[in-house]
Each structure stands twice: as structure tokens, then as C-alpha cells.
Amino acid sequence: MKLPRIGTYILEKAAYYKNRDFILGDTEETYENISESENSFKANLWFWSEVIYCLPGFIRNNIYWGTIMFSNYIKIAFRNLIKYKSFSVINLSGLAMGLACSILILLYVTDELSYDRFNEKGENIYRVVKDHIYSGNILPVAVTPAALGPALKDEYPEIVEASRVKYYRRTIKQDDNFYSEKLLYADPSFLTMFSFPLKHGNKETALNDPFSIILSETLAEKLFANKDPIGKNIFIDNELNLKVTGIYRNVPKN
């Protein structure tokens, strides 16, 4: 019977090279004797007990020889660097530039692929676009009629929810302070479709009133400092009087 391959490998590595053949020969002979006189189960049990007994030597030898080989590689590399200076500078510069470019590309791709991944329902959220024809060229744009969202939801049962959005830059007035900010007008369903966590307020009802507004943590701090903004009023372009009904946590740009 042949000795188990993995156990034999461990014994070979753990044994001193001068006694390796002697140890393996005795082990194989004893293994066969136990198999013939007893059974293969007891032979395997004895063999693996010997392997376990040799494991400290196996680990020690691997660490010892691995350390020696690594130190030799370092010495050879250092000597080559000293001996062939110009060649070494070219190789190291190329390696450094290659690593730097690879890392920058990896960071860029990772950042690009991370956009909107925070949305828990992201796999089921779609943006509606339409084709505009300019001079015979088709240009897809995310601009659709305001009535399209409710109409699609009413006519297609597979559409669970829809939200219309539109960006404007407006002037916000609070007390005697004026700030130019980019605002997003959206349906109440926006907060249930997208995973923007609210620090204050209830996302189920925060936008039910057409004259309600939720602010980012940064804007709330700018407008109200350390005061509680919930329930306070702000003015948009000196025309709209809106009540603050929620504060959402700052989110990264992606």
C-alpha cells in the first residue's frame, strides 16, 4: 500500500535531507506491516499521528529555508542595483510609473462604478429618456412631459412607483441671509424610491405637503446654525414660503 501523498510530502519536508530516504523507508515499511497485521484504518491512524508529530519540524523548516531564500534574493537584488545603476534606474522608474498608472486607473474605475450603488432598490429603478431629433440626428435626453410619470404608473401595473424630478438654482432667504442653492423639485415618492436617509423627519410623509422642503445637513447648518430647523420657514426667490419637514444626511458625490 502506498503512503498518503499529503502526509508523505510533510514528512519529506520535515525530515533532515541526509536521513530522508531512511525515514520514509522505515515509515512505509511500518505502515505496510500494520496494514497486513491489523487493518488499513489502524495503519492510517498510526501514519497520521507520525505526521502530526512531525508538523513542528515541517513548519520550522519552511520558515527557516524561506527566510534564507528571501534574504538571498534581497542581497542579489541589492548587488544588481549597485552594479548596474543606470539599468536599475530605468527598470525601477518603469515599475513605479506602471504601478502608479494602474492604481490611478483602478481608483477611477472604482469611483465610476460606485455611482448610485447605495440605493437599496437600485436594480429596479429606471430613468425615462426620450429621443430628440436635431438636424436628422437622434439625441436621447432625460427630459419628458410632466404628465408622463403619473400616466405610466396608472397604465402599467408593473410600475410600482414613479417620481418626477427637476433641478433649479434658486435664492434661499432665511431671516436676513440670502444663499444661492441648487434645489431639486420632486414628488413625495422620491424619498421611498431612493435610499436617502433622513436624520430628522419621516420620509413617508416629509414631502406630502407641496409647500414642504427637506434640507441637507450642510444647508441646515448654514441656514439655522445650531437651531432646530424642523417646522421653520424659508423663502425661495422671495415668492415661495416653504416649511422645513426633514433633514437628510450628507451623502458623497457618487
Side-chain angles (χ1 to χ4, degrees):
M1 295 181 63
K2 290 186 177 181
L3 296 174
R5 184 176 299 176
I6 297 177
T8 304
Y9 173 79
I10 294 175
L11 288 177
E12 287 179 349
K13 295 298 182 181
Y16 187 56
Y17 72 95
K18 289 184 178 180
N19 300 327
R20 187 169 295 160
D21 293 337
F22 175 74
I23 292 174
L24 290 176
D26 280 358
T27 302
E28 187 173 2
E29 183 179 350
T30 306
Y31 181 80
E32 290 177 354
N33 290 336
I34 296 175
S35 297
E36 293 174 359
S37 61
E38 301 288 342
N39 53 59
S40 59
F41 174 77
K42 288 187 177 181
N44 283 320
L45 187 63
W46 170 84
F47 175 76
W48 285 109
S49 66
E50 292 296 311
V51 172
I52 293 172
Y53 179 77
C54 292
L55 273 178
F58 171 75
I59 297 172
R60 184 174 59 253
N61 285 347
N62 274 280
I63 293 175
Y64 175 74
W65 289 111
T67 303
I68 290 178
M69 292 302 295
F70 181 74
S71 62
N72 285 337
Y73 291 147
I74 294 296
K75 290 178 182 177
I76 293 171
F78 184 73
R79 289 170 183 169
N80 286 332
L81 287 174
I82 299 299
K83 188 175 181 180
Y84 307 104
K85 294 183 177 64
S86 58
F87 186 70
S88 299
V89 169
I90 293 173
N91 278 344
L92 289 176
S93 299
L95 176 63
M97 291 178 63
L99 286 174
C101 291
S102 298
I103 292 172
L104 289 175
I105 292 172
L106 176 63
L107 291 174
Y108 174 78
V109 172
T110 302
D111 181 64
E112 288 294 306
L113 294 177
S114 68
Y115 274 76
D116 296 331
R117 294 301 177 92
F118 68 95
N119 287 306
E120 297 176 1
K121 305 173 184 176
E123 293 184 356
N124 296 320
I125 299 176
Y126 297 86
R127 184 174 65 168
V128 179
V129 299
K130 71 175 182 178
D131 291 337
H132 277 239
I133 300 177
Y134 293 101
S135 302
N137 297 319
I138 298 177
L139 178 66
V141 293
V143 180
T144 55
L148 183 62
L152 289 177
K153 183 182 176 183
D154 291 340
E155 296 182 15
Y156 294 89
E158 58 265 40
I159 296 179
V160 178
E161 195 58 85
S163 178
R164 297 162 294 180
V165 296
K166 190 171 181 64
Y167 282 103
Y168 290 99
R169 181 164 289 278
R170 292 290 186 259
T171 300
I172 297 178
K173 178 179 179 295
Q174 206 285 320
D175 292 337
D176 294 327
N177 299 317
F178 292 86
Y179 302 95
S180 178
E181 299 289 342
K182 193 175 184 181
L183 305 183
L184 174 69
Y185 291 76
D187 289 311
S189 55
F190 180 86
L191 289 179
T192 56
M193 292 176 62
F194 297 92
S195 305
F196 290 98
L198 293 190
K199 184 177 181 180
H200 300 290
N202 184 351
K203 67 178 183 179
E204 301 290 341
T205 60
L207 294 178
N208 285 352
D209 185 347
F211 295 96
S212 60
I213 186 172
I214 62 173
L215 308 175
S216 67
E217 289 179 300
T218 301
L219 184 56
E221 177 68 22
K222 183 191 294 186
L223 295 176
F224 297 96
N226 296 323
K227 300 177 183 178
D228 182 9
I230 301 299
K232 301 292 194 307
N233 289 355
I234 61 175
F235 292 89
I236 306 296
D237 291 344
N238 279 327
E239 296 176 357
L240 290 177
N241 182 6
L242 304 181
K243 179 184 290 186
V244 179
T245 57
I247 305 296
Y248 69 87
R249 298 186 184 278
N250 289 333
V251 294
K253 67 174 184 176
N254 57 344

